[in-house]
Each structure stands twice: as C-alpha cells, then as structure tokens.
Amino acid sequence: MEGEERRLAASLTARYSEWVLEELDELRGSFLLTDPAMPGHPIVYASRGLASLTGYPRRELLGRNARLFQGAATDRAAVSGVREAVRTQRAHQVAILNYRRDGSPHWVLLHLAPVFHAADGRVLHFLAVQVPIAAAPRRHPGRPAAFAACREEARGEEELPCASHVGEVFVDIDKRGLEAEEPRIASVCDKEMALSTANKIFSTLNRYSKLTGLVVCERRCDSVGIPALSSSLNLSLGRIKQSFVLTDRHLPDMPIVYASDAFLSLTGYSREEILGCNCRFLNGPGTSAEVLEEINQHICLEEACTVHLLNYRKDGSTFRDLLHVSPIRNSSGKVGLHPFQVFPGSHCASDASALLF
C-alpha cells in the first residue's frame, strides 16, 4: 500500500516539487486533485477539509475514482454535465447531491477545473473544489421568507465528484440515500468562494511547478502560432504605463498578443499565463452578461466602446474598472488588433478581462 501511495504522490511531486503536498495541506477548503493519465483517473490528493466533510479518511480516498461520492439520488443530468466538462477539458460549476461515508446526503457546489501544462496545453490534473450549499430557511406563517446567508467558512468544505475517468466517468451509482432532500441552489457567495479557493490552489501549483520547469496554468493558453510583435513595437508599447492588452481578431478565439506590465500587476497573472488566451479569463459569477454582450456587439461592428465592468483577479478578488475597447486599423482601413485599456478612476482592472468573444 505504501508503494501505491508513493506512486500517487509522485503524480504531484514530480511536477510541482516535493514541497507542494505540505503547501496544499495548509490551504483551507474541501478539494481534491485527480490524474487523468493514470488508469481509472484516480484521486491523487485529498484535502483535510474534504476528509472532514465527507467522513472518508484521506488514505481511503487516494487511488479511488471520484464517483464514490455519488448515490442513488444524484442527478444524472448534473453527472452528465460534469462528464462532458471532463471530456472537453473545460471548467464547470454545478450544484450536485453527494454522499458522505456514512451514507448521508448533502448538497454541494462543485467547481471543476483542468490544470494545463503551460508549454504544450496538455491536461495534467483535474481540480475539484466543493462548497456546501446551505438549506433555504423554512417559511413561517405570517413571516416573510428570509434569504439564506452565505455559509460560514467554519463549516468547512466538501468534496466534489469531479474528474472521473474520461469516458468512464460517473457510473455505477449505488443505492444510498434514496430519501434525498429537495434540490438546493448555490448562492453568488457560494460561487465566489469556490472560485476563490480554486484560484488559491492554482496559484500554489503554478508557483511550485516553476521549481521543476513544468509550469502549469488554469487555462490552455497556447502561444504557438501567434506572430510575435516587432521589437520596435514591443519597445514602444513597453513605455506605456497604463493597463492594457492587445488582441488579434484574425486568430482563432481572438487571443491576447501583448499585455502591459501594469495589466499584469493589476490582475496578478504572469505574461506567460495569458499570452494566447482569450480575454474572457477575468470573468466571474458577478460579471454582467449584458455588458459583455454590449462589448461583443461593438467588436462585431468594429466600433469603440467604454463600459464599467466587474472583473476578477487571479486570487479571486473583485474590482470594478472603466474598460475602453477600440479597434486598430491598418493603412487600408481594415481592423487588425484590438486594444483593451483600463482607465484609473473606478477600481482599475485589466482591460481584456471580461470579454466573451
């Protein structure tokens, strides 16, 4: 058994250094990491918060597939959504009914996210964060219904049935907990907590992966095929002190081709993490869909626009900014690049942040 535990631990230590396990142990929250390259897509790390919330000892979780948290009343549609997210290697959030070791059911917000190799875009691990969803307050005759408050951190966090073997995920549901409760809806507070926890974990993995040279990131940001800007243009852009990025609308998914130092400082991301990415990575649960649609319409019409927008930094904290988007035309009048600039005044944020191209 010890040999098997070492093999599972090596999935992390070989990529993030020997110290990453101790660092992950210090993080609050209920989460796990799985390795899709290993047979059965097993759990290779389980947090203390996960063990405490689910009742499973950590050693009992390692090496098992994350489907063990499912039961008879787990919604098949929710499971299918997670399965599809694993198959397509994308992030996903869903409220789902899980089961503890003693068979008792509990609702959680599952936040699933792939961990990418920054150099070649391969998925190295899947991160699954789970936030408990509090029950809605009961209605009392003659008394207005109260809104459920954000859950306290002290309640801990549970695990999420995330990465279960690509192509073989979420099957073999057993007969536990047929008496499950009514479905629960995750609050904005729950969603922000899940995102914040995930960002802290990604920050830890990214920091320790630099020690081995196998740098990881939370988005598949492939700069291969992106034409480099000329040295003279890079030099000129480097003199600009504002927070901005340039994107190329002629490349697939309109990726970022340049990011200013001020943009990196404001958002907490490194240049390597965002070059080649679409600007939507600064979106979050509180970002206005209406404002994003307005921005997209102006981009399609090749028009400039200025909007107020709520964005998210790498550490999960929010900030409001004044975002200005404007096309750059060549000598023939055709649009080549789009600069996204953030003006100080609100809470300055990164320009390209919340765009859904």
Side-chain angles (χ1 to χ4, degrees), residues 25-354:
D25 282 346
E26 295 300 316
L27 296 178
R28 295 173 61 88
S30 173
F31 63 93
L32 60 85
L33 289 162
T34 65
D35 190 334
M38 299 178 71
H41 199 155
I43 297 171
V44 295
Y45 178 84
S47 72
R48 289 192 174 99
L50 176 64
S52 141
L53 201 53
T54 63
Y56 286 95
R58 297 170 77 186
R59 293 185 64 175
E60 191 172 320
L61 291 171
L62 296 179
R64 301 181 66 177
N65 186 281
R67 73 172 68 91
L68 85 158
F69 297 104
Q70 296 170 34
T74 302
D75 182 56
R76 293 300 183 95
V79 169
S80 296
V82 177
R83 186 204 309 266
E84 182 64 14
V86 171
R87 187 186 68 81
T88 56
Q89 302 179 345
R90 59 179 174 81
H92 184 62
Q93 273 193 355
V94 64
I96 193 168
L97 182 72
N98 279 347
Y99 289 80
R100 301 183 180 89
R101 189 172 186 267
D102 63 8
S104 60
H106 58 122
W107 281 92
V108 297
L109 173 66
L110 168 64
H111 179 94
L112 171 70
V115 181
F116 293 104
H117 190 300
D120 58 21
R122 288 182 296 117
V123 173
L124 300 179
H125 293 102
F126 276 93
L127 166 67
V129 176
Q130 195 171 25
V131 174
I133 302 176
R138 294 181 180 275
R139 289 177 178 269
H140 297 280
R143 190 183 305 175
F147 291 101
C150 298
R151 70 151 181 79
E152 300 176 5
E153 263 187 48
R155 294 190 57 196
E157 317 73 17
E158 336 179 6
E159 202 227 36
L160 31 172
C162 103
S164 102
H165 193 189
V166 182
E168 188 196 340
V169 287
F170 301 105
V171 294
D172 300 332
I173 294 179
D174 62 28
K175 303 300 181 184
R176 296 176 295 172
L178 290 172
E179 69 299 333
E181 314 170 19
E182 290 296 315
R184 297 184 185 179
I185 299 175
S187 67
V188 172
C189 197
D190 293 330
K191 294 177 180 179
E192 290 187 347
M193 177 168 288
L195 182 62
S196 175
T197 300
N199 284 336
K200 291 174 183 177
I201 297 166
F202 271 112
S203 179
T204 297
L205 296 179
N206 177 264
R207 184 169 70 255
Y208 279 90
S209 67
K210 292 177 180 178
L211 299 178
T212 63
L214 302 173
V215 181
V216 301
C217 57
E218 56 187 301
R219 284 166 302 280
R220 180 180 276 120
C221 300
D222 187 4
S223 59
V224 177
I226 297 178
L229 300 180
S230 67
S231 56
S232 59
L233 179 56
N234 264 305
L235 185 62
S236 298
L237 292 174
R239 296 193 181 104
I240 302 174
K241 303 304 180 183
Q242 282 84 3
S243 169
F244 71 96
V245 297
L246 295 178
T247 66
D248 192 332
R249 69 170 302 171
H250 298 301
L251 294 177
D253 206 26
M254 198 169 170
I256 295 173
V257 295
Y258 180 86
S260 71
D261 290 339
F263 178 90
L264 303 177
S265 175
L266 284 170
T267 63
Y269 290 95
S270 67
R271 187 167 279 109
E272 292 75 18
E273 288 179 295
I274 65 172
L275 287 182
C277 292
N278 181 279
C279 296
R280 69 175 66 89
F281 63 87
L282 290 184
N283 287 213
T287 303
S288 169
E290 290 76 13
V291 174
L292 297 181
E293 180 58 30
E294 178 184 350
I295 295 170
N296 289 333
Q297 290 177 2
H298 282 280
I299 290 175
C300 291
L301 295 173
E302 300 183 350
E303 298 175 346
C305 72
T306 301
V307 297
H308 289 277
L309 198 63
L310 178 71
N311 286 330
Y312 290 75
R313 298 184 179 88
K314 183 176 179 178
D315 63 7
S317 61
T318 61
F319 55 95
R320 293 189 178 276
D321 61 57
L322 183 64
L323 170 66
H324 180 73
V325 183
S326 177
I328 297 179
R329 302 180 185 276
N330 58 23
S331 57
S332 64
K334 293 183 178 180
V335 175
L337 301 174
H338 269 91
F340 300 89
Q341 182 176 8
V342 174
F343 290 91
S346 301
H347 301 285
C348 283
S350 65
D351 335 89
S353 26

